């Protein structure tokens, strides 16, 4: 079992709809959770982070964390073509910022 | 967020040569920097953790004599790919962050070895 798992996609979403991305992790002791967006040929860009159970909203993005079920999700509301990218889930198991990344989910937003 | 500057952005070299990639933290002091490698359509794989003033910590399967890491100051970490071969062609990305929390990435270096 991979430490951090994501559906590779592609997740095809109509413009204006909600994109829902899921990520599961294996280490129950994981403490911090991050979502990065990566455009083709570019480096990852941090878009959300969450530490506590529940929801965290930032603009069109909402991160949801459920430590009991060991999953973290990302919702993108009012999806735009510019949201088309690969979204990487990352988990920090301990203090310090050594992250373990999932394989990424490719999102395609169609006009 | 923290700014991490990485260069060169792209390098093409002949097989057998060495290539140095620099990573600078511009607005924070980086006691730790991380070096990742990413092959096409694959996720990021951590190669090593660079520690200021001490030896780097390499992940399992990464040859420390081939991927030399130097972290001589709080703002600069370098990765040197020695005797590069075509199989070393990849996207190399450094990352760092202050307060041991969020990680910010450099712009990446696309290495092509002919």
């Amino acid at each position: 079992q991979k430490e951090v798992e994501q559906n590779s996609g592609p997740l095809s979403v109509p413009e204006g709809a909600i994109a829902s991305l899921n990520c599961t992790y294996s280490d129950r002791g994981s403490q911090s959770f991050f979502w990065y967006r990566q455009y083709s040929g570019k480096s990852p860009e941090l878009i959300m982070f969450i530490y506590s159970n529940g929801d965290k909203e930032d603009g069109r993005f909402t991160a949801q964390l459920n430590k009991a079920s060991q999953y973290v999700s990302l919702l993108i509301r009012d999806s735009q073509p510019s949201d088309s990218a690969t979204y990487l889930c990352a988990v920090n198991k301990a203090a310090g910022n050594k992250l373990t990344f999932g394989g990424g989910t490719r999102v395609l937003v169609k006009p | 967020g923290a700014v991490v500057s990485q260069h060169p952005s792209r390098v093409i070299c002949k097989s057998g040569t060495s290539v140095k990639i620099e990573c600078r933290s511009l607005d924070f002091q980086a006691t730790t920097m991380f070096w990742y490698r990413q092959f096409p359509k694959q996720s990021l794989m951590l190669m090593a953790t660079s520690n200021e003033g001490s030896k780097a910590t390499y992940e399992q399967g990464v040859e420390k004599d081939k991927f030399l890491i130097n972290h001589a100051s709080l703002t600069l970490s370098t990765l040197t790919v020695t005797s590069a071969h075509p199989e070393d062609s990849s996207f190399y990305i450094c990352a760092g962050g202050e307060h041991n929390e969020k990680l910010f990435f450099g712009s990446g270096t696309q290495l092509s070895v002919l």
Side-chain angles (χ1 to χ4, degrees), chain A residues 3-111:
Chain A
E3 292 187 68
V4 181
E5 293 208 58
Q6 297 179 252
N7 187 319
S8 61
L11 174 66
S12 186
V13 179
E15 183 175 359
I18 296 175
S20 178
L21 293 78
N22 294 316
C23 171
T24 59
Y25 57 95
S26 60
D27 190 334
R28 192 170 285 278
S30 299
Q31 299 183 354
S32 308
F33 307 86
F34 304 84
W35 283 99
Y36 286 84
R37 176 176 61 197
Q38 186 176 25
Y39 293 110
S40 181
K42 303 295 184 182
S43 65
E45 170 192 12
L46 179 66
I47 55 172
M48 286 290 290
F49 59 93
I50 186 167
Y51 306 138
S52 305
N53 278 328
D55 294 1
K56 180 181 179 182
E57 185 175 317
D58 183 0
R60 294 187 296 112
F61 299 101
T62 298
Q64 299 173 317
L65 175 61
N66 185 323
K67 289 187 177 181
S69 300
Q70 294 176 238
Y71 83 78
V72 56
S73 63
L74 179 70
L75 299 177
I76 308 174
R77 289 182 299 281
D78 188 23
S79 296
Q80 302 297 310
S82 58
D83 295 326
S84 296
T86 296
Y87 290 79
L88 300 168
C89 171
V91 173
N92 188 340
K93 295 192 286 187
N97 31 18
K98 181 176 178 179
L99 299 182
T100 301
F101 284 84
T105 298
R106 192 159 69 97
V107 173
L108 294 175
V109 181
K110 298 186 176 181

Side-chain angles (χ1 to χ4, degrees), chain A residues 32 34 36 38 41-46 49 51 88 92 94-104 106, chain B residues 32 34 36 38 41-44 46 49 59 91 93 96-108:
Chain A
S32 308
F34 304 84
Y36 286 84
Q38 186 176 25
K42 303 295 184 182
S43 65
E45 170 192 12
L46 179 66
F49 59 93
Y51 306 138
L88 300 168
N92 188 340
N97 31 18
K98 181 176 178 179
L99 299 182
T100 301
F101 284 84
R106 192 159 69 97
Chain B
T32 302
F34 300 92
Y36 289 85
Q38 187 176 37
K41 300 190 184 302
Q42 295 187 23
S43 190
L44 298 165
L46 179 64
T49 302
E59 296 299 304
F91 192 48
I93 321 173
E98 56 186 341
H99 307 310
N100 287 333
E101 285 295 339
K102 299 180 284 292
L103 203 60
F104 295 91
F105 287 85
S107 54

Side-chain angles (χ1 to χ4, degrees), chain B:
Chain B
V3 179
V4 178
S5 175
Q6 180 176 349
H7 71 92
S9 59
R10 180 178 294 273
V11 59
I12 301 172
C13 69
K14 293 182 179 180
S15 184
T17 60
S18 295
V19 174
K20 180 186 281 190
I21 302 170
E22 291 189 351
C23 184
R24 294 181 184 273
S25 57
L26 298 186
D27 56 357
F28 68 99
Q29 294 184 326
T31 54
T32 302
M33 294 288 272
F34 300 92
W35 287 95
Y36 289 85
R37 179 169 54 183
Q38 187 176 37
F39 292 106
K41 300 190 184 302
Q42 295 187 23
S43 190
L44 298 165
M45 295 301 296
L46 179 64
M47 299 175 64
T49 302
S50 166
N51 304 297
E52 188 268 336
S54 65
K55 292 183 179 180
T57 304
Y58 290 82
E59 296 299 304
Q60 190 174 11
V62 178
E63 300 175 57
K64 62 180 181 180
D65 294 331
K66 180 170 184 61
F67 298 99
L68 300 179
I69 289 175
N70 184 284
H71 195 153
S73 77
L74 287 171
T75 58
L76 175 64
S77 176
T78 62
L79 168 68
T80 301
V81 183
T82 62
S83 187
H85 288 93
E87 58 266 30
D88 298 322
S89 299
S90 186
F91 192 48
Y92 292 85
I93 321 173
C94 65
E98 56 186 341
H99 307 310
N100 287 333
E101 285 295 339
K102 299 180 284 292
L103 203 60
F104 295 91
F105 287 85
S107 54
T109 298
Q110 183 64 53
L111 172 63
S112 299
V113 184
L114 304 178

